[in-house]
Amino acid sequence: MRILVTGGAGYIGSHIVKALGEKNYDVLVIDNLSKGHEKAVIFGKLIVIDLNNKQKLKEIFNQFKPDAVMHFAASIEVGESVVDPMKYYQNNTVNTLNLIKTMVEYKIDKFIFSSTAAIYGNPTKIPITENHPIRPINPYGKSKAFIEEVLEDLDKSYGLKYISLRYFNAAGADPEGRIGESHNPETHLIPLILKTAKGERKSIKIFGTDYPTPDGTCIRDYIHVDDLANAHLLALEYLLNNGKSEVFNCGYGHGYSIREVIDTAKKVTGKNFNVEEADRRKGDPAVLVADNTKLKKKLGWSPKFDDLEFIIKTAWNWELNKKF
Ligand code: UFG
């Protein structure tokens, strides 16, 4: 089976490419390398293109003839999306429309979409189920929520089958240390904590200590990136077996506060680094935890790495031995 993977040189995409390669899928990665890394693509072939290049996109569909498309290429920072919304509507909305328009033209009808918990906005109920209202509170979440609506229409009119996977907080690295998280600039909690433990940063700031949570800091559902990759493989197999369109939350169903993540990182690294209490970051909901019942029941997903210590260990190993 031939699988076209956009953004396969990025953090999450590269872990799915690894999972696909290990299952002997024929993988073609397309990535503009604006954030991704050539070395992160450890299976298949990489073509460097931007999704706004419609002509080149058509050539790729013409030559590769994918059976399914998995779409990771996107801008992902909530804060940046508030400062520069056009970047998000161009990269995440317009470019995704280019991609799915090409799919429709070439009659490719299986699509896996990287969606996000950010489409729910401030949750009214925890854990969050897939039928929670879609009320994104920032352009990043809106840019993804709009595509979910478009996909619904394309299914009705053209029979495009899609799985939209709504990620909670992807974390950790390949347990064998081949690939991992390497953002520039880094904004995510766990890699920033580990850079502090390593001595690259003076301290880790906790953004807000007055949230309505037991220790006052935000709670997130951190999911190991390989468990997330496995959810993609199951979603792909489901579509290849002619499953119908679905949306799934991807998380473990329980969360950790920022203080708990910091304490676990101190234990794993053996370093007692500096922690500062800072103001809240704009747009952060207090708690984001997935209800993953649907993913488990419908796709038979069963997580292997639901262990914060293990997640941080793999990320620490990567931080110390980064290859890109
Ligand atoms: N945080 C700090 N200090 C830091 C960095 C982060 O306290 O230096 C806090 C944040 O305020 C937040 C938590 O740690 O409360 C997690 O923050 P991240 O930036 O690691 O992750 P987010 O929850 O903001 O966002 C991630 C992805 C989004 C996705 C979202 C869905 O980056 O793309 O998860 O849950 F939409």
Side-chain angles (χ1 to χ4, degrees), residues 37-56:
H37 307 271
E38 202 173 339
K39 285 190 182 155
V41 181
I42 61 172
F43 282 99
K45 194 181 153 198
L46 166 69
I47 297 180
V48 181
I49 79 150
D50 196 281
L51 291 178
N52 66 19
N53 187 343
K54 295 185 214 166
Q55 191 47 42
K56 189 92 188 275

Side-chain angles (χ1 to χ4, degrees), residues 76 78 116-118 140 167-169 187-189 192 204-207 218 220 222 258 281 284 288:
I76 58 156
V78 170
T116 168
Y140 169 64
Y167 310 157
F168 284 66
N169 290 56
T187 61
H188 292 107
L189 181 67
L192 287 177
I204 182 76
K205 286 192 172 134
I206 300 182
F207 296 146
C218 286
R220 293 289 179 274
Y222 297 92
I258 298 172
R281 192 173 70 175
D284 275 339
L288 282 177

